[in-house]
Amino acid sequence: MQDLSARWLFNGPLPLTQRRASAEPHVFYYLVNEQRCCETSARIFINNEWYDSVSGKTFCTYNPATGEKICDVQEADKADVDKAVQAARSAFSLGSEWRRMDSSERGRLLSKLADLVERDRLYLATLESLNSGKPFLSSFFVDLQGTIKTLRYFAGWADKIHGTSIPTDGGYLSFTRHEPIGVCGQIIPWNFPLMMMAWKLGPALCCGNTVVLKPAEQTPLTCLYMGALIKEAGFPPGVVNILPGFGPTAGASIASHMGIDKVAFTGSTEVGKLIQEAAGKSNLKRVMLELGGKNPNIIFADADLDLAVEQAHQGVFFNSGQCCTAGSRIFVEEPIYEEFVRRSVERAKRRIVGSPFDPTTEQGPQISLEQQRRVLEFIESGIKEGAKLECGGKAPFSKGYYIQPTVFSNVQDHMRIAKEEIFGPVQQIMKFKTIEEVIERANNTVYGLTAAVFTNDISKAMAISTAVQAGTVWINCFNALSCQCPFGGFKMSGNGRELGEYGLREYTEVKTITVKMPMMNL
């Protein structure tokens, strides 16, 4: 396998040496005689300026397709969080440029940011693939498109957030205002760095908040590049601050900081619990959590089998299986079970694993060596517990953190691979007989993020979608997400909603104002 990332990044249409001056902190490399040379470490973005960490510490970020170091990144910790919160609180203070700005102007700035992301789409997609390992075409057509659409969607909402007048008894006029919460901490995952940044940044800025944002330590580069675009778009200093660092230090400081009014987190349920605990022990800041999932995908015998096989395949293996929405518990009705397994194995064997910058690649590496080892350990546990390994199950290359597309059949509900979130390219196929049985089994989990059902019977589809405990249910499709529709989970998959009009509610406080009006009822 040949890794093409360096040649794509440095010999492409947007060579780093020709970037604008505004992007100077993000120019991680330049090309000198076909060699990559580190020009500067990626720095912390506070108050529209670039800083080294207070401690002077840095950490390395890696290319998961090769395991090679990309560059050093300044490591933010508590002192840097304090500095960023101070900047964000100043930007949010009464009389500040941001607080006095018309809501329509906030929308214009968000729209401008979307335009800048679209302008630099090729560069950002390349950087996203280099740092996360996802195929470039997926970065360009899924992640970047989703980022741009989300920013534009919330730009359109900025001057349309309003309260209502309320009829009350007596001579009073009552009405509500939707006001920004204040300083919002936002902790971004490594599986969709740019898109998750847009999901959180868009509504927060639309509603007039200020932000202290921590990208995942595995994938900080595109989030930091966004800092330059935020400044170029014209956002006032302190409105957005970006702090690369680690969860136990920078992340914990955000969750427990007395100067932060709300924290939003996407990631594991285990860390989500810690964040909610820290928020409760500090200032009872509002918490929004989008956490793990062990999502059921239910295939009835009357479904379009070709469609169901392909959608189930993509529903598990997309982004190397590193999706909280992954349909990893596939329940197939008994009459078609063997045929479904056969076709699923054939499709998995055809899936092309390779360099993110090879246009034929369907699946890139896992994010890290740690994650690769974790997924391989899950596969081993499935074999030991008696599931049938139909294909895959190994690391195909000596270089990079790849795993073969893996399919298990004869999976039982008590097995670890059927209960725990694997976050890797592992498909588990189970058998069911009745609709009552499959509903009970689908709901027998601590999670409740997404679910899907494939059938040509609308009555079955509606019965399943009503009965399953999940925040999103797809009928004859999978991963059909859009910025207009709310997204979030039941049970231990989190609380709150992102996207859509519901997502705006997570970033405003509702204030009731009542005026004494003696002549109100004339």
Side-chain angles (χ1 to χ4, degrees), residues 190-255:
W190 47 257
N191 55 341
F192 293 94
L194 267 178
M195 199 152 55
M196 294 299 102
M197 184 183 193
W199 281 26
K200 290 174 172 55
L201 204 60
L205 299 180
C206 164
C207 295
N209 299 281
T210 59
V211 171
V212 175
L213 183 146
K214 188 195 87 67
E217 61 268 24
Q218 297 91 341
T219 54
L221 301 187
T222 48
C223 288
L224 286 170
Y225 187 89
M226 287 290 287
L229 301 187
I230 286 163
K231 182 176 181 179
E232 185 179 350
F235 285 90
V239 171
V240 180
N241 307 274
I242 304 171
L243 306 173
F246 292 89
T249 51
S253 295
I254 289 171

Side-chain angles (χ1 to χ4, degrees), residues 441-456:
R441 292 171 66 191
N443 287 334
N444 186 23
T445 174
V446 299
Y447 298 110
L449 189 59
T450 70
V453 55
F454 287 82
T455 176
N456 284 324

Side-chain angles (χ1 to χ4, degrees), residues 262-314:
K262 175 212 167 75
V263 62
F265 168 76
T266 296
S268 71
T269 297
E270 292 72 23
V271 175
K273 289 179 179 180
L274 295 175
I275 288 172
Q276 187 147 325
E277 180 182 9
K281 286 183 175 179
S282 53
N283 59 347
L284 279 177
K285 60 176 62 65
R286 289 175 60 173
V287 179
M288 183 174 69
L289 302 172
E290 195 269 276
L291 307 175
K294 193 67 179 175
N295 309 294
N297 186 0
I298 299 167
I299 318 293
F300 283 96
D302 65 353
D304 179 332
L305 196 55
D306 289 336
L307 173 69
V309 167
E310 182 62 24
Q311 289 290 299
H313 175 87
Q314 298 298 341

Side-chain angles (χ1 to χ4, degrees), residues 331-342:
F331 295 97
V332 181
E333 198 169 11
E334 190 172 45
I336 62 166
Y337 182 80
E338 298 299 333
E339 180 64 13
F340 186 92
V341 170
R342 185 186 68 79

Side-chain angles (χ1 to χ4, degrees), residues 170-475:
Y172 299 97
L173 169 65
S174 296
F175 60 93
T176 58
R177 282 173 50 87
H178 291 254
E179 298 183 352
I181 295 171
V183 178
C184 298
Q186 301 185 329
I187 302 175
I188 310 301
W190 47 257
N191 55 341
F192 293 94
L194 267 178
M195 199 152 55
M196 294 299 102
M197 184 183 193
W199 281 26
K200 290 174 172 55
L201 204 60
L205 299 180
C206 164
C207 295
N209 299 281
T210 59
V211 171
V212 175
L213 183 146
K214 188 195 87 67
E217 61 268 24
Q218 297 91 341
T219 54
L221 301 187
T222 48
C223 288
L224 286 170
Y225 187 89
M226 287 290 287
L229 301 187
I230 286 163
K231 182 176 181 179
E232 185 179 350
F235 285 90
V239 171
V240 180
N241 307 274
I242 304 171
L243 306 173
F246 292 89
T249 51
S253 295
I254 289 171
S256 62
H257 204 289
M258 297 295 291
I260 291 179
D261 304 298
K262 175 212 167 75
V263 62
F265 168 76
T266 296
S268 71
T269 297
E270 292 72 23
V271 175
K273 289 179 179 180
L274 295 175
I275 288 172
Q276 187 147 325
E277 180 182 9
K281 286 183 175 179
S282 53
N283 59 347
L284 279 177
K285 60 176 62 65
R286 289 175 60 173
V287 179
M288 183 174 69
L289 302 172
E290 195 269 276
L291 307 175
K294 193 67 179 175
N295 309 294
N297 186 0
I298 299 167
I299 318 293
F300 283 96
D302 65 353
D304 179 332
L305 196 55
D306 289 336
L307 173 69
V309 167
E310 182 62 24
Q311 289 290 299
H313 175 87
Q314 298 298 341
V316 171
F317 294 113
F318 176 66
N319 202 38
S320 303
Q322 298 171 140
C323 297
C324 56
T325 62
S328 52
R329 290 189 300 148
I330 301 175
F331 295 97
V332 181
E333 198 169 11
E334 190 172 45
I336 62 166
Y337 182 80
E338 298 299 333
E339 180 64 13
F340 186 92
V341 170
R342 185 186 68 79
R343 294 194 193 190
S344 295
V345 171
E346 288 178 356
R347 179 65 181 89
K349 287 180 177 179
R350 294 198 307 271
R351 189 169 183 84
I352 299 172
V353 180
S355 166
F357 294 96
D358 183 334
T360 65
T361 292
E362 294 180 89
Q363 181 179 311
Q366 309 311 118
I367 189 64
S368 64
L369 178 61
E370 177 186 12
Q371 187 66 14
Q372 182 196 45
R373 288 173 173 170
R374 180 177 181 274
V375 175
L376 290 172
E377 196 274 327
F378 267 109
I379 293 170
E380 186 62 29
S381 78
I383 296 170
K384 287 180 178 178
E385 289 188 311
K388 182 180 179 182
L389 179 64
E390 297 280 355
C391 66
K394 299 186 185 310
F397 310 121
S398 60
K399 192 175 185 180
Y401 311 132
Y402 295 88
I403 294 176
Q404 294 171 332
T406 301
V407 178
F408 279 104
S409 65
N410 297 330
V411 178
Q412 304 301 313
D413 291 359
H414 69 272
M415 295 177 179
R416 188 178 168 211
I417 60 172
K419 295 192 298 183
E420 298 181 30
E421 185 177 37
I422 298 174
F423 231 61
V426 183
Q427 185 177 46
Q428 303 106 66
I429 308 178
M430 297 173 279
K431 187 187 300 181
F432 76 92
K433 293 182 179 180
T434 69
I435 188 169
E436 294 80 12
E437 170 204 341
V438 78
I439 288 171
E440 182 179 355
R441 292 171 66 191
N443 287 334
N444 186 23
T445 174
V446 299
Y447 298 110
L449 189 59
T450 70
V453 55
F454 287 82
T455 176
N456 284 324
D457 184 334
I458 190 62
S459 296
K460 285 181 186 175
M462 293 309 299
I464 292 290
S465 61
T466 301
V468 294
Q469 298 164 350
T472 295
V473 180
W474 293 298
I475 298 174

Side-chain angles (χ1 to χ4, degrees), residues 19-293:
R19 300 300 298 164
R20 302 168 314 285
S22 64
E24 86 291 312
H26 308 67
V27 181
F28 304 113
Y29 294 100
Y30 56 96
L31 189 66
V32 179
N33 296 325
E34 296 281 335
Q35 299 297 316
R36 288 181 286 180
C37 303
C38 190
E39 183 175 326
T40 181
S41 62
R43 305 173 78 190
I44 295 168
F45 184 71
I46 298 175
N47 221 28
N48 278 8
E49 300 296 338
W50 298 94
Y51 296 94
D52 291 338
S53 62
V54 172
S55 67
K57 293 180 182 177
T58 62
F59 65 95
C60 299
T61 189
Y62 296 92
N63 176 359
T66 63
E68 296 173 354
K69 173 182 171 181
I70 301 174
C71 67
D72 293 315
V73 181
Q74 294 292 319
E75 181 184 336
D77 57 22
K78 184 180 184 302
D80 304 285
V81 172
D82 289 342
K83 188 175 175 182
V85 171
Q86 184 179 7
R89 295 225 70 88
S90 178
F92 190 72
S93 63
L94 290 174
S96 69
E97 180 184 359
W98 183 241
R99 289 294 291 271
R100 288 185 290 106
M101 186 179 292
D102 289 339
S103 56
S104 59
E105 179 65 9
R106 291 201 305 270
R108 189 194 67 80
L109 292 180
L110 271 172
S111 185
K112 174 66 173 175
L113 180 59
D115 291 343
L116 294 175
V117 172
E118 187 168 47
R119 181 195 69 189
D120 291 354
R121 183 174 181 172
L122 176 60
Y123 182 80
L124 280 162
T126 305
L127 195 58
E128 190 87 318
S129 291
L130 179 71
N131 202 189
S132 72
K134 63 180 61 190
F136 170 80
L137 293 179
S138 178
S139 292
F140 189 86
F141 289 109
V142 178
D143 295 52
L144 266 296
Q145 179 170 295
T147 299
I148 294 163
K149 283 188 172 183
T150 300
L151 292 173
R152 287 190 173 139
Y153 175 80
F154 285 111
W157 266 110
D159 59 356
K160 301 170 187 67
I161 302 167
H162 53 77
T164 59
S165 61
I166 304 169
T168 54
D169 295 343
Y172 299 97
L173 169 65
S174 296
F175 60 93
T176 58
R177 282 173 50 87
H178 291 254
E179 298 183 352
I181 295 171
V183 178
C184 298
Q186 301 185 329
I187 302 175
I188 310 301
W190 47 257
N191 55 341
F192 293 94
L194 267 178
M195 199 152 55
M196 294 299 102
M197 184 183 193
W199 281 26
K200 290 174 172 55
L201 204 60
L205 299 180
C206 164
C207 295
N209 299 281
T210 59
V211 171
V212 175
L213 183 146
K214 188 195 87 67
E217 61 268 24
Q218 297 91 341
T219 54
L221 301 187
T222 48
C223 288
L224 286 170
Y225 187 89
M226 287 290 287
L229 301 187
I230 286 163
K231 182 176 181 179
E232 185 179 350
F235 285 90
V239 171
V240 180
N241 307 274
I242 304 171
L243 306 173
F246 292 89
T249 51
S253 295
I254 289 171
S256 62
H257 204 289
M258 297 295 291
I260 291 179
D261 304 298
K262 175 212 167 75
V263 62
F265 168 76
T266 296
S268 71
T269 297
E270 292 72 23
V271 175
K273 289 179 179 180
L274 295 175
I275 288 172
Q276 187 147 325
E277 180 182 9
K281 286 183 175 179
S282 53
N283 59 347
L284 279 177
K285 60 176 62 65
R286 289 175 60 173
V287 179
M288 183 174 69
L289 302 172
E290 195 269 276
L291 307 175

